Amino acid sequence: MELWFTEKHTEHVKLSIQVDEQLYSSQSEFQRIDIFSSKEFGKFLTLDGYMMLTEKDEFIYHEMIVHVPMAVHPCVKKALVIGGGDGGTVRELVRYLEIEHIDVVEIDEEVVEACRRYLPQTACGFADERVHIYYDDGLKFVRKFVEEYDLILVDSTDPFGPGEGLFTKEFYGNCYKALRADGIMVNQHESPFYPNDATAMQRAHKRIVESFPISKVYQAHIPTYPSGHWLFGFASKKYHPLDGQDVARWKARGIKTRYYNEQLHKGAFALPNYVEELLEKVEGA
Ligand code: SAM
């Protein structure tokens, strides 16, 4: 008998991955958590039936959410990760020795516990002594801070369910307030391809543009996300993501990556015309 995980990407499109075994399944206070093993993608985590990460392609998402801003900001000392309960974003952040303190605010402790047990490849970052985990709603948590962080990474689920508040104008305004005078925020910005995802992406973009003086979008190819074409938002108080990229400083750290490199950093901000048009439509609106 064959066992398949299927995620509906639109009313008429589904992605299916053959499953070897269901390793974990639980209904937490916030969402349904499942972890499967598979031949093609290794172990993978889904929340409420939506793909969060697979062992095979998570490096793309996690490298791109972390190394792009880290190659721009000259000195991140204190960082905040909002969501990110699988640990992949933190794993990439702890590779930077200059970072002194990393706060993680994750709404669902069960995600962290399940990932610690079944996905050590990503959860290993949590073991670093600079990492402090708070179990709280990111929307509430970030309200408390003024000029506290150099970098905020919004590694959230999609704009419905527990992640909904992390796409609001209030949230982005509070992230702005919580960042120091040269702070950067990067968020997972959804996909431009299917109309429902594109609408969510435009809504988020409009709100970020209204909150930050510099707001650019970059892309990556993530095979297991809807359409495989994914965007990130780079919002900043001071540094431009291309003019501010310091290749020599980044290379001097000797961080080995599988996806990110300094050429790709530049190329990732060169967007297809249809994506530029979607963004422009809401930038002036
Ligand atoms: N890379 C993933 C993606 O885009 O598919 C995101 C992965 S990470 C597992 C997302 C995390 O955000 C989840 O663990 C979820 O519990 C957390 N989350 C959702 N809403 C949240 C909120 N309001 N505050 C803090 N964490 C939240």
Side-chain angles (χ1 to χ4, degrees), residues 28 30-31 33 45 47 50-53 61-62 65 81-87 89 105-109 111-112 115 134-141 154-158 160-166 171 188 190 225 230:
S28 77
F30 302 99
Q31 55 212 339
I33 307 168
L45 166 73
L47 295 179
Y50 293 100
M51 179 61 77
M52 292 292 118
L53 68 92
Y61 178 94
H62 294 124
I65 201 169
V81 177
I82 299 178
D86 53 79
T89 295
V105 56
E106 162 62 58
I107 204 165
D108 196 341
E109 187 168 1
V111 174
V112 175
C115 292
Y134 300 87
Y135 295 107
D136 200 355
D137 184 339
L139 178 67
K140 255 173 46 201
F141 183 87
V154 189
D155 183 4
S156 64
T157 45
D158 297 321
F160 40 81
E164 195 172 350
L166 306 183
F171 173 69
Q188 74 92 345
E190 300 291 308
Y225 285 176
W230 211 254

Side-chain angles (χ1 to χ4, degrees), residues 178-220:
L179 282 169
R180 292 179 179 150
D182 60 352
I184 298 174
M185 177 188 87
V186 171
N187 70 306
Q188 74 92 345
H189 212 67
E190 300 291 308
S191 171
F193 192 73
Y194 295 122
N196 283 351
D197 300 332
T199 304
M201 180 281 284
Q202 282 180 299
R203 204 179 304 129
H205 187 64
K206 181 173 176 4
R207 291 168 181 165
I208 296 173
V209 167
E210 286 167 359
S211 307
F212 283 81
I214 298 166
S215 174
K216 303 289 170 197
V217 170
Y218 61 100
Q219 60 187 353

Side-chain angles (χ1 to χ4, degrees), residues 37-257:
S37 65
S38 71
K39 285 201 177 46
E40 193 65 50
F41 285 98
K43 286 183 259 178
F44 61 95
L45 166 73
T46 67
L47 295 179
D48 285 338
Y50 293 100
M51 179 61 77
M52 292 292 118
L53 68 92
T54 79
E55 282 184 318
K56 187 165 179 168
D57 68 355
E58 58 84 8
F59 70 100
I60 304 172
Y61 178 94
H62 294 124
E63 288 189 13
M64 288 302 275
I65 201 169
V66 169
H67 300 309
V68 171
M70 288 303 295
V72 173
H73 197 292
C75 189
V76 173
K77 295 268 180 230
K78 191 165 184 185
L80 170 65
V81 177
I82 299 178
D86 53 79
T89 295
V90 168
R91 179 197 65 205
E92 293 304 310
L93 272 180
V94 298
R95 302 175 76 189
Y96 290 85
L97 303 180
E98 72 264 34
I99 302 183
E100 293 169 355
H101 189 107
I102 301 168
D103 285 335
V104 179
V105 56
E106 162 62 58
I107 204 165
D108 196 341
E109 187 168 1
E110 269 197 61
V111 174
V112 175
E113 291 314 318
C115 292
R116 277 193 167 126
R117 182 150 170 225
Y118 293 102
L119 289 166
Q121 174 180 316
T122 51
C124 59
F126 289 135
D128 191 286
E129 59 182 16
R130 293 169 292 170
V131 177
H132 307 265
I133 308 182
Y134 300 87
Y135 295 107
D136 200 355
D137 184 339
L139 178 67
K140 255 173 46 201
F141 183 87
V142 81
R143 275 187 201 136
K144 298 186 281 211
F145 299 100
V146 180
E147 298 202 3
E148 186 74 17
Y149 296 102
D150 302 301
L151 178 66
I152 296 180
L153 300 177
V154 189
D155 183 4
S156 64
T157 45
D158 297 321
F160 40 81
E164 195 172 350
L166 306 183
F167 288 81
T168 57
K169 180 123 192 350
E170 185 216 337
F171 173 69
Y172 297 129
N174 284 327
C175 286
Y176 180 91
K177 188 164 63 70
L179 282 169
R180 292 179 179 150
D182 60 352
I184 298 174
M185 177 188 87
V186 171
N187 70 306
Q188 74 92 345
H189 212 67
E190 300 291 308
S191 171
F193 192 73
Y194 295 122
N196 283 351
D197 300 332
T199 304
M201 180 281 284
Q202 282 180 299
R203 204 179 304 129
H205 187 64
K206 181 173 176 4
R207 291 168 181 165
I208 296 173
V209 167
E210 286 167 359
S211 307
F212 283 81
I214 298 166
S215 174
K216 303 289 170 197
V217 170
Y218 61 100
Q219 60 187 353
H221 168 237
I222 303 177
T224 53
Y225 285 176
S227 86
H229 185 188
W230 211 254
L231 302 178
F232 295 90
F234 181 106
S236 165
K237 290 190 173 183
K238 182 174 172 188
Y239 305 114
H240 186 279
L242 297 176
D243 302 339
Q245 181 193 7
D246 191 330
V247 173
R249 189 183 54 225
W250 196 79
K251 279 189 146 176
R253 293 174 175 123
I255 292 175
K256 199 166 165 339
T257 45

